[in-house]
Amino acid sequence: MKLDIIAGARPNFMKIAPIIAALEKVSDKIQYRLIHTGQHYDKKMSGSFFEQLGIPEPDVNLEVGSGTQAEQTARIMERYEALLLDYHPERSETESKDLKFEKEAPFSFRRGVGGEAFIGKSDWVLVVGDVTSTMACSIAAKKLGVGVIHVEGGIRSNDITMPEEINRMVTDSITDIFYTTSEVANENLRKLGHDASKIRYVGNTMIDTLLKNMSRFQKPEAWDVFSLKEKSYFVMTLHRPANVDEETQLKNLIDEIVNGAKGMPIIFPVHPRTAKMLKGIGIEADNLHMIEPLGYLEFNYLVQHSFAVITDSGGITEETTVMKVPCMTLRDNTERPETITIGTNELVGTNPDNIAPFMKKLHAGDWKAGEIPYLWDGKTSERIVEDLLGL
Ligand code: UD1
């Protein structure tokens, strides 16, 4: 079987790492090619995750870079399609080592150091999560008759204003095999009319990575710089357009959080999108510490030892659930309801006025303890690869 694995943005990297590790064990049966779309390209947003999680150098980097939603989608589709179309069954293995196109490609590909991967069309494409790269590669592949496998398929926020929700809906509508993280996802897919045989509840590959790396978490510099103490600081991340694209909203949220923290330090690794906004606002508070985005091992060290996390990310709510750290989600909805019904997460909403009561509950020691959802056990990628062998 020839399989393409797609990774494009930060939250993809921890999801593909354990799948690749499991695929390495069956390399005589499944030949895979790792394709980085280049949606995230900074060392801090991409490179460091490859290094820390031992992900091999991508076979191809489509280098699409920043852009609007449509620009990124279009560039990824155009480049991935060209990669798939470079299909010459008559070409010998040796000739195939260089990527050649029948027509001059309007961009360049940088191959990884491996350089041994097959070229042309794959049998299947495996996409993860809900980022632009997930959707764009699924469409390009499906139109060329390549089967689509969606890891983390079926989840829905039912908030169509989020680009991620559109990415999920479009991807799932053309997916052939769903590997799901929750019973809610299974139910969503069944309601949409997908055949039960296509839906495979395997657990959460992000949690495979978390459990595998927990003993390797690294204390970041920030620990000493801000004299942090076990369970007496907050970790905060914000990057959703609803929270960060409008100055007043961002400022009011941060003000409420700073007040609610009661002097406890707040460590805020700032996403590039948020950094651009913050420049114009000039927020300052003694207990608010804005730092660069952290590597995986450093970020999760901070989370594991924190008093609580405040975030608008989806993936972080899964990690805090497994690490049993209280988590306040600054969104009006979530595609991961099990982090609330089972885990340590609470949906606070995007209205800054909602923050104070949750802070009160936290400080009073009234937060729920939480359980870990079924099959979030560190073995999901093995289950996926076992299943792939049967396709
Ligand atoms: C994307 C994903 C989102 C995910 C988030 C995690 C989509 C639709 N959204 O949103 O689901 O939770 O990543 O980070 O795919 N930038 C850099 N360096 C980089 C990458 C981006 O400076 O390495 C800048 C871009 O130029 C842009 C901004 O950060 O101005 C946002 O990046 P973008 O990829 O558009 O989307 P995210 O907001 O990161």
Side-chain angles (χ1 to χ4, degrees):
M1 180 203 286
K2 286 183 182 164
L3 175 70
D4 278 344
I5 313 260
I6 307 294
R10 184 167 64 176
N12 289 164
F13 306 135
M14 50 294 257
K15 293 173 194 167
I16 59 149
I19 300 176
I20 288 178
L23 280 170
E24 286 290 339
K25 296 186 192 148
V26 296
S27 55
D28 53 329
K29 300 192 184 75
I30 302 178
Q31 221 188 336
Y32 78 88
R33 182 168 65 172
L34 174 57
I35 297 160
H36 191 325
T37 64
Q39 183 183 340
H40 282 180
Y41 43 83
D42 278 351
K43 176 137 176 78
K44 292 193 175 72
M45 300 297 286
S46 170
S48 85
F49 290 82
F50 276 72
E51 279 166 26
Q52 293 195 334
L53 302 179
I55 306 171
E57 182 96 1
D59 294 294
V60 178
N61 190 320
L62 302 179
E63 293 178 348
V64 297
S66 298
T68 64
Q69 292 287 322
E71 282 167 349
Q72 280 186 328
T73 306
R75 265 185 242 141
I76 296 168
M77 285 179 68
E78 189 185 21
R79 294 176 189 200
Y80 182 46
E81 182 187 58
L83 187 73
L84 291 172
L85 283 177
D86 188 31
Y87 182 58
H88 299 279
E90 70 285 3
R91 193 185 279 168
S92 73
E93 269 303 299
T94 356
E95 279 178 303
S96 305
K97 289 285 185 278
D98 290 325
L99 280 176
K100 292 191 192 109
F101 291 87
E102 284 186 27
K103 58 176 186 183
E104 193 67 17
F107 40 77
S108 65
F109 291 112
R110 181 171 59 78
R111 299 210 78 189
V113 285
E116 295 300 324
F118 62 89
I119 68 158
K121 205 156 120 180
S122 54
D123 304 314
W124 295 89
V125 61
L126 182 148
V127 295
V128 298
D130 56 18
V131 303
T132 301
S133 304
T134 309
M135 174 186 73
C137 289
S138 309
I139 298 173
K142 189 71 184 176
K143 288 194 170 184
L144 291 174
V146 174
V148 176
I149 298 163
H150 187 193
V151 173
E152 202 189 89
I155 61 177
R156 292 289 185 278
S157 65
N158 297 313
D159 176 358
I160 197 73
T161 65
M162 291 170 67
E164 292 82 359
E165 183 73 353
I166 298 172
N167 296 341
R168 291 180 201 115
M169 291 166 70
V170 174
T171 305
D172 283 348
S173 70
I174 52 172
T175 290
D176 297 284
I177 303 290
F178 301 94
Y179 290 122
T180 63
T181 50
S182 71
E183 187 47 53
V184 179
N186 302 341
E187 185 58 25
N188 288 340
L189 291 168
R190 285 193 293 262
K191 273 195 215 143
L192 285 165
H194 292 287
D195 196 275
S197 65
K198 291 163 57 179
I199 307 167
R200 298 163 193 193
Y201 182 19
V202 287
N204 193 327
T205 65
M206 198 162 178
I207 301 308
D208 288 4
T209 296
L210 188 78
L211 297 176
K212 186 173 168 195
N213 289 287
M214 220 170 237
S215 59
R216 300 174 59 229
F217 288 170
Q218 290 169 14
K219 197 184 266 191
E221 251 177 55
W223 188 274
D224 291 330
V225 172
F226 304 116
S227 307
L228 300 182
K229 299 210 170 49
E230 186 76 23
K231 302 286 170 201
S232 14
Y233 62 91
F234 287 85
V235 177
M236 172 160 86
T237 80
L238 294 175
H239 77 282
R240 297 272 169 211
N243 287 331
V244 309
D245 282 4
E246 210 266 306
E247 272 188 27
T248 321
Q249 167 70 1
L250 181 59
K251 187 174 179 331
N252 291 346
L253 278 178
I254 297 181
D255 283 348
E256 277 298 326
I257 292 163
V258 164
N259 290 335
K262 291 196 174 162
M264 271 194 196
I266 302 162
I267 310 300
F268 182 16
V270 182
H271 185 283
R273 180 186 194 102
T274 316
K276 282 182 198 161
M277 276 314 286
L278 283 172
K279 263 189 199 149
I281 309 182
I283 296 174
E284 270 185 40
D286 287 347
N287 60 334
L288 179 66
H289 305 299
M290 297 188 236
I291 59 174
E292 295 274 335
L294 290 168
Y296 180 84
L297 299 175
E298 291 85 355
F299 181 74
N300 281 295
Y301 182 97
L302 272 193
V303 169
Q304 189 182 31
H305 296 272
S306 68
F307 176 58
V309 170
I310 302 165
T311 189
D312 58 8
S313 150
I316 293 173
T317 66
E318 300 183 334
E319 291 165 337
T320 48
T321 281
V322 171
M323 291 193 271
K324 306 219 166 172
V325 172
C327 181
M328 294 167 53
T329 293
L330 304 188
R331 288 175 51 188
D332 296 316
N333 46 62
T334 174
E335 60 290 331
R336 293 163 164 91
E338 65 283 358
T339 62
I340 297 169
T341 54
I342 304 175
T344 52
N345 186 23
E346 290 279 11
L347 210 54
V348 172
T350 51
N351 182 346
D353 296 341
N354 294 354
I355 292 172
F358 284 94
M359 282 289 195
K360 201 171 161 199
K361 207 165 146 185
L362 252 182
H363 288 293
D366 270 351
W367 210 264
K368 59 188 169 179
E371 298 291 331
I372 298 175
Y374 179 54
L375 293 185
W376 291 20
D377 59 358
K379 299 191 178 116
T380 297
S381 304
E382 286 169 24
R383 284 191 278 271
I384 289 177
V385 170
E386 184 64 39
D387 194 72
L388 288 177
L389 288 170
L391 289 185

